[in-house]
Amino acid sequence: LATYLASGGYQGLARVLKEFTPEAFVEEVKNSGLRGRGGAGFPCGVKWGFLPKGTDKPRYLAVNADESEPGTFKDRLLLEKDPHLVLEGCLLAAYAVGARVIYIYVRGEYPLSIARLEGRPFRPYDRITGSQTGLSGRGSARAGARCPRAAADLNGKATQAACETIR
């Protein structure tokens, strides 16, 4: 976290929280032409704009880092080398769509990615079972990894209640 912050990490989030309403941020992203990292490359701002306005229903952000496409390792590299970049992007997307909870799906074959997201050292036995790591859940292991406090509390606006990794 210290390295990411020292290199300007979370400054984009701080700026967005300070200068943009969620609606204005969605428009900014639409105008930028930013596209998703999936195979279709769908425009992010357009996708975010599909959500109904003025609803009191809870919103969740689901991030798919499965990489089921053969021969791809884009998500794995980002998660292992720069997890805070991924988390900052998640927080920005959550702010844009009004999500209070973020779920990140990471395949079980990527224990280092999971460890990086959870902010803990990688332990080789993580691959064997979730019991040594305190993971539990219905059908899939679930770790209660909180998003970095520095990210959640920037500018006094928490954009999510929790960030969990699910595998």
Side-chain angles (χ1 to χ4, degrees):
L1 177 60
T3 303
Y4 188 70
L5 290 172
S7 65
Y10 295 109
Q11 287 182 9
L13 177 63
R15 179 176 170 247
V16 167
L17 294 175
K18 183 178 179 181
E19 298 177 16
F20 292 90
T21 64
E23 297 79 15
F25 180 56
V26 170
E27 284 304 312
E28 184 78 9
V29 172
K30 279 183 187 177
N31 293 336
S32 76
L34 180 67
R35 295 182 171 272
R37 296 180 58 86
F42 199 84
C44 296
V46 173
K47 183 180 285 190
W48 297 343
F50 290 153
L51 292 169
K53 310 287 185 262
T55 179
D56 290 337
K57 293 182 180 180
R59 291 196 174 163
Y60 304 92
L61 181 70
V63 179
N64 182 0
D66 178 53
E67 292 190 321
S68 58
E69 306 89 7
T72 60
F73 296 100
K74 63 184 179 0
D75 300 336
R76 181 179 180 183
L77 285 173
L78 283 173
L79 293 170
E80 290 178 2
K81 302 294 184 188
D82 206 354
H84 287 284
L85 181 65
V86 175
L87 292 174
E88 184 173 16
C90 291
L91 291 167
L92 286 164
Y95 178 71
V97 301
R100 297 285 178 216
V101 178
I102 299 167
Y103 292 96
I104 301 172
Y105 173 80
V106 178
R107 61 176 41 225
E109 294 89 354
Y110 293 169
L112 179 58
S113 297
I114 293 167
R116 294 283 193 263
L117 279 173
E118 292 175 344
R120 62 177 172 76
F122 171 65
R123 297 179 304 257
Y125 58 80
D126 287 351
R127 178 182 300 269
I128 300 166
T129 176
S131 62
Q132 291 103 327
T133 60
L135 301 177
S136 63
R138 294 171 300 194
S140 63
R142 195 178 281 205
R146 300 273 176 211
C147 286
R149 184 170 186 81
D153 293 340
L154 280 176
N155 209 25
K157 295 182 184 179
T159 60
Q160 88 299 328
C163 178
E164 296 183 40
T165 56
I166 300 175
R167 62 177 172 140

